[in-house]
Amino acid sequence: MWKNYSKSYIKNNRASSISVMAAAFVATMFLSLLCCIAYNFWTYEIESIVLNEGDWQGRIIGRIDEDDLSIIQNFANVREAVINTELSEKENTVIDICFQNARTIYRDMPLISEQLGLNSSNIEYHSLLLSRYFIHDPQDADPPLLLAFYLGILIIVVVSLILIIRNSFELSMNARIHQFGIFSSIGATPKQIRICLLQEALALSILPIILGSLTGIAVSYGFIELVDTFAKDVSGRHAAVFQYHPFLFAGTIFSSVLTVFFSAWIPARKLSRITPLEAIRITGGLQLKKRKHSRILAMLFGMKGELAGNALKVQKKSLRISTVSLLLSFLGFSIMLCFTTLSGISTRYTYFERYQNAWDIMITIKDTAISDFDLIDEVKAVSGTGDVTVYQKIDAVGILPEDWQSSELAMLGGLGSVAGKQNEGGQFHVEIPVVVLDDISFLEYCSQIGITPSLDGAVVFNHIWDSVNSNFRYKQYVPFVKEDRKTSSIYNASTDNQFVEIPVLSYTQTAPVLREEYKNFGLVHFIPMAMWKEVSGLIGGSGPDTYIRIFSNGNDSLTELDNLEKEIVQRIGKNYKIESENRVREKISNDNIMNGMMMILGAFCMLLAIIGIANVFSNTLGFLRQRKREFAQYMSIGLTPQEMWKIFFIEAFVIAGKPVLITLPLTVLFVQFAVTASYLEPMVFWSEAPVMPVLVFAAAIIFFVVLAYYIGGKRLLRCDLNEILRNDALV
């Protein structure tokens, strides 16, 4: 009986069935999309770690011979153990180990080291890679909560999807309270009613669940390809390849079925608890338990506004998901656009516009001291190359006597006021960043600042940020020290007891043309490579990398810079491990990343809006039977179809207008806060504010909500409303 009844109801109530199927499809697609993207991000992160750091899980470092290596390889849980020839030295051998079951690594590694007669100091864990497999040190008091975070997100998503689908089921089931009251009066038990409703839910949802899952996979594939396209020019990343696992599909289907089950079970349980008398007395019309006046709508639209307000109050609970989805989508879209606009302005001001004339091509020579790089002539010989500067950065420190501070700095309160430095016996410890230039570039720099070129000293970049009278966005500088000392003491940054006295050739407010951001409160020293070779042993050697700043000697188009960069990389890449970038491609890459981020976040906001609009369609079509009775009653008291249309459009504009009215002031407050926090001139932002995209998004929300009410109203007014008041038969 119940099976035949369910088939008959589904067949004769297509609108309600389509609403349920659409909700199940959208929810499953969203769940599949989220799981698929999370899985691909997870695998991509693991691939990046393996490419950059290797796929080893544990390391043992010490005096290890062939017998010791055999012991490691024969350990029960060890899958592979090999000698790392790059890291091994004469006295210490490095063994990379991979386990069959990595979850026991924190127990097995100490056992292996104990068998070799080593201690815990000889053990190294690949903690970053292990953490991506959710393996953490049991002795760690604060383990990463990545797994808990993922589970929390999944639970939140599933609960949200339950609420989305539940609304469609509740609309369908509430329209049949009167029918089930009659069934209950002739002997149907609450359990039978629940089973009937759950069978209907599963019958309607199985196909949408499968299609939604497959659609989510397809959309996530497109998403990964889109991300890869936008980020293809980003240096230091590898191409993302879409990956999927059968268990992921099974998990998505299982989660979706559970979601549908609980979504249907909640209203079914509520419906089965209604007594037969209560169910029979409910005729299906909209009923307001406590009538309240809609003062604003009544004031604006009169009686029709009052009627629309009452209808919205009755549907308030059902429209809650729609309101929240539309609000979150519009708010998220607006704030996302404003944030990316602010970020773009900030990046442009602080990087691209600031350094656009400071470089064309940058080469980073990894793990190489400037004194060990001997191919500068090869770089300069490349056709199309203009000015070339090779340099290296070293961190050092110095002691600044209080009486050496400039008078301008003293007037601001000294280092204690400007930089927060502690005065220790009339002197301050300050950072002295050292920039070592190749000899030819240093001599040219001396000529630029108007001093006699010499390789026998340093040039002091004599300025410090006036943090008292300016902010980080619009910095003002004052002289750091008095320009009366002929030497400068530079100390080893790590030991603070070795130092060297370097002659000062000049003090200047002009830095060489390099793509560098110098420390706000550091006393930068520029020295030639010839002098650095003499003093490097006393102040801590050199930094890990050497940099080459190159200007092109012609058109700076993308094609020419790409060709020039390629030629330079070919010449020096054979001998050194290098990274390269050029200014034009870096700008294009940054723009692509920003556009890609906007598209991704915009798509997510669009998805939220679709969920909200789908909920409006579901409510409009699902409440059709109730609205028939409601408007039949209105017609009986003299309302015309045109007035009924006006009521519909009032409801539509209230539903769509509420998110807009809430979002706009919140967005303005966010922008005001963000602009103030970033110390940006307000008019700079408002001149580029994304007003048109926000208005288009708002118009789209309003259009689709109005369309939902138009479709519902058109279907409603085609019915014989007078017949509805007399007809109480089963559907």
Side-chain angles (χ1 to χ4, degrees):
M1 168 192 170
W2 292 109
K3 186 176 182 180
N4 292 332
Y5 167 74
S6 296
K7 288 183 178 179
S8 176
Y9 180 82
I10 293 173
K11 182 178 180 181
N12 295 320
N13 292 268
R14 293 182 179 179
S16 178
S17 300
I18 291 173
S19 175
V20 171
M21 294 173 71
F25 173 81
V26 171
T28 305
M29 183 192 69
F30 189 48
L31 182 61
S32 176
L33 176 64
L34 183 67
C35 292
C36 206
I37 290 175
Y39 178 76
N40 276 272
F41 278 0
W42 176 65
T43 55
Y44 182 83
E45 178 71 10
I46 292 175
E47 289 175 357
S48 299
I49 295 172
V50 171
L51 287 173
N52 294 326
E53 303 180 18
D55 61 351
W56 58 278
Q57 298 167 353
R59 275 179 179 159
I60 293 184
I61 306 169
R63 296 178 179 272
I64 299 174
D65 54 28
E66 292 185 2
D67 292 336
D68 294 330
L69 179 59
S70 178
I71 291 174
I72 298 173
Q73 292 172 337
N74 291 325
F75 192 83
N77 192 32
V78 171
R79 173 168 54 87
E80 183 182 27
V82 296
I83 298 175
N84 189 317
T85 55
E86 293 184 1
L87 299 179
S88 297
E89 300 173 350
K90 291 183 179 180
E91 297 183 354
N92 285 318
T93 302
V94 178
I95 307 296
D96 290 347
I97 305 173
C98 292
F99 291 87
Q100 296 174 2
N101 179 14
R103 299 198 171 278
T104 62
I105 185 172
Y106 289 101
R107 183 186 65 196
D108 292 342
M109 286 291 286
L111 293 177
I112 294 174
S113 65
E114 186 177 343
Q115 289 186 16
L116 301 177
L118 303 174
N119 53 43
S120 59
S121 63
N122 299 99
I123 298 174
E124 183 178 341
Y125 298 98
H126 200 167
S127 302
L128 185 60
L129 180 62
L130 292 172
S131 68
R132 296 305 180 264
Y133 288 108
F134 312 115
I135 302 172
H136 309 297
D137 186 354
Q139 303 299 323
D140 189 355
D142 299 307
L145 299 177
L146 187 62
L147 179 59
F149 177 71
Y150 284 154
L151 290 176
I153 290 178
L154 183 60
I155 291 172
I156 291 172
V157 170
V158 170
V159 170
S160 301
L161 297 179
I162 288 174
L163 293 176
I164 293 170
I165 306 177
R166 168 188 173 275
N167 189 62
S168 295
F169 284 127
E170 190 171 36
L171 288 171
S172 174
M173 294 176 184
N174 285 346
R176 302 156 65 191
I177 293 177
H178 188 66
Q179 302 170 21
F180 281 108
I182 296 174
F183 289 147
S184 182
S185 67
I186 60 175
T189 64
K191 182 178 180 181
Q192 289 175 322
I193 294 175
R194 285 198 299 271
I195 292 175
C196 172
L197 294 172
L198 291 175
Q199 286 175 343
E200 282 183 24
L202 292 176
L204 289 171
S205 303
I206 289 299
L207 182 60
I209 284 175
I210 295 174
L211 293 177
S213 183
L214 295 175
T215 304
I217 296 171
V219 174
S220 62
Y221 173 81
F223 175 83
I224 298 299
E225 290 295 313
L226 186 65
V227 171
D228 215 28
T229 300
F230 278 108
K232 65 180 179 181
D233 295 324
V234 178
S235 60
R237 73 176 296 275
H238 67 281
V241 179
F242 179 78
Q243 300 186 52
Y244 199 74
H245 197 283
F247 285 120
L248 194 61
F249 182 78
T252 302
I253 296 294
F254 178 73
S255 300
S256 299
V257 170
L258 279 182
T259 299
V260 168
F261 176 81
F262 283 110
S263 300
W265 182 78
I266 293 171
R269 180 170 175 268
K270 178 181 177 182
L271 182 62
S272 66
R273 288 185 170 186
I274 298 177
T275 64
L277 182 59
E278 290 175 329
I280 292 173
R281 291 177 59 185
I282 296 176
T283 60
L286 294 178
Q287 297 176 353
L288 194 62
K289 293 182 179 179
K290 185 178 180 181
R291 191 163 298 277
K292 297 180 180 179
H293 292 289
S294 302
R295 291 184 176 85
I296 296 178
L297 292 179
M299 181 177 63
L300 294 175
F301 305 105
M303 178 192 68
K304 290 174 283 296
E306 183 78 20
L307 294 175
N310 289 337
L312 289 172
K313 287 185 175 69
V314 173
Q315 301 175 74
K316 183 178 180 180
K317 186 175 180 181
S318 299
L319 288 171
R320 190 172 297 156
I321 295 172
S322 174
T323 302
V324 171
S325 297
L326 294 177
L327 175 61
L328 289 178
S329 65
F330 191 40
L331 182 62
F333 184 78
S334 302
I335 290 180
M336 178 270 297
L337 278 182
C338 293
F339 175 78
T340 51
T341 301
L342 277 169
S343 179
I345 292 172
S346 178
T347 303
R348 188 176 72 243
Y349 275 31
T350 59
Y351 184 77
F352 290 107
E353 290 188 0
R354 181 172 183 178
Y355 297 113
Q356 65 179 352
N357 297 320
W359 68 296
D360 282 333
I361 295 174
M362 285 292 298
I363 305 291
T364 301
I365 307 171
K366 309 296 290 184
D367 303 319
T368 302
I370 187 172
S371 56
D372 296 331
F373 179 70
D374 54 6
L375 296 180
I376 186 170
D377 292 333
E378 290 282 334
V379 176
K380 292 182 177 180
V382 176
S383 176
T385 300
D387 183 57
V388 177
T389 297
V390 181
Y391 67 98
Q392 192 166 24
K393 299 177 290 185
I394 297 95
D395 291 328
V397 296
I399 297 176
L400 180 71
E402 191 170 14
D403 60 1
W404 196 21
Q405 295 181 93
S406 68
S407 58
E408 292 86 349
L409 180 59
M411 289 178 63
L412 295 174
L415 275 175
S417 176
V418 173
K421 298 290 185 179
Q422 295 294 323
N423 190 329
E424 300 176 4
Q427 59 188 17
F428 299 88
H429 284 268
V430 297
E431 295 174 292
I432 298 185
V434 176
V435 179
V436 182
L437 303 176
D438 69 88
D439 292 342
I440 295 176
S441 296
F442 184 82
L443 293 174
E444 291 177 352
Y445 174 52
C446 290
S447 299
Q448 290 172 7
I449 61 176
I451 65 172
T452 303
S454 172
L455 300 177
D456 297 327
V459 174
V460 177
F461 188 34
N462 188 25
H463 84 168
I464 186 172
W465 173 34
D466 177 6
S467 61
V468 177
N469 298 313
S470 64
N471 56 61
F472 73 90
R473 179 71 63 190
Y474 306 101
K475 293 180 180 178
Q476 297 177 6
Y477 296 92
V478 297
F480 198 142
V481 296
K482 298 175 182 177
E483 300 181 356
D484 57 354
R485 300 205 176 197
K486 300 300 182 183
T487 61
S488 177
S489 299
I490 303 178
Y491 286 75
N492 189 310
S494 57
T495 63
D496 202 23
N497 55 14
Q498 288 183 313
F499 73 96
V500 62
E501 289 282 342
I502 294 182
V504 176
L505 298 176
S506 176
Y507 297 87
T508 182
Q509 301 283 328
T510 304
V513 183
L514 302 174
R515 193 195 66 178
E516 291 296 332
E517 178 76 25
Y518 301 111
K519 294 182 178 180
N520 293 320
F521 309 112
L523 189 59
V524 183
H525 284 50
F526 298 102
I527 66 175
M529 185 173 64
M531 172 161 283
W532 176 248
K533 289 179 179 179
E534 299 176 6
V535 303
S536 60
L538 297 175
I539 56 175
S542 60
D545 302 327
T546 293
Y547 306 90
I548 308 176
R549 191 269 294 134
I550 304 167
F551 282 119
S552 66
N553 192 19
N555 194 342
D556 57 354
S557 66
L558 176 61
T559 302
E560 292 200 7
L561 285 184
D562 277 345
N563 292 335
L564 180 59
E565 179 186 5
K566 183 178 179 181
E567 178 68 21
I568 294 172
V569 168
Q570 287 178 346
R571 294 213 179 188
I572 63 177
K574 299 176 183 178
N575 304 87
Y576 301 95
K577 182 180 178 181
I578 65 174
E579 292 179 358
S580 67
E581 54 187 324
N582 73 60
R583 176 175 52 81
V584 177
R585 185 162 294 282
E586 186 78 5
K587 181 66 167 62
I588 294 173
S589 175
N590 179 77
D591 291 342
N592 287 341
I593 291 174
M594 295 298 294
N595 292 334
M597 183 174 67
M598 290 178 65
M599 287 189 65
I600 292 168
L601 295 177
F604 180 75
C605 295
M606 289 291 292
L607 184 58
L608 284 175
I610 289 171
I611 292 173
I613 292 168
N615 191 258
V616 173
F617 272 92
S618 176
N619 273 305
T620 305
L621 301 179
F623 270 107
L624 186 60
R625 184 170 184 270
Q626 293 94 320
R627 303 310 293 269
K628 286 179 182 178
R629 296 189 57 82
E630 174 193 353
F631 278 88
Q633 292 170 352
Y634 293 159
M635 181 175 287
S636 68
I637 60 174
L639 253 67
T640 64
Q642 290 76 16
E643 290 174 318
M644 294 181 189
W645 276 116
K646 190 170 183 179
I647 293 174
F648 269 121
F649 287 126
I650 291 171
E651 292 182 30
F653 279 105
V654 169
I655 292 173
K658 187 183 296 184
V660 174
L661 292 177
I662 294 175
T663 294
L664 291 179
L666 290 178
T667 303
V668 171
L669 289 175
F670 167 79
V671 168
Q672 184 65 31
F673 170 77
V675 169
T676 302
S678 61
Y679 294 98
L680 195 68
E681 293 291 340
M683 289 309 299
V684 172
F685 170 80
W686 289 115
S687 64
E688 302 182 31
V691 176
M692 189 55 65
V694 171
L695 293 179
V696 170
F697 194 86
I701 290 177
I702 294 173
F703 170 78
F704 282 109
V705 173
V706 170
L707 179 63
Y709 269 86
Y710 173 76
I711 294 173
K714 193 172 182 179
R715 295 183 61 180
L716 187 149
L717 294 178
R718 279 206 306 254
C719 301
D720 186 357
L721 299 177
N722 292 319
E723 184 66 21
I724 298 298
L725 293 175
R726 299 191 299 269
N727 184 14
D728 222 7
L730 293 177
V731 178

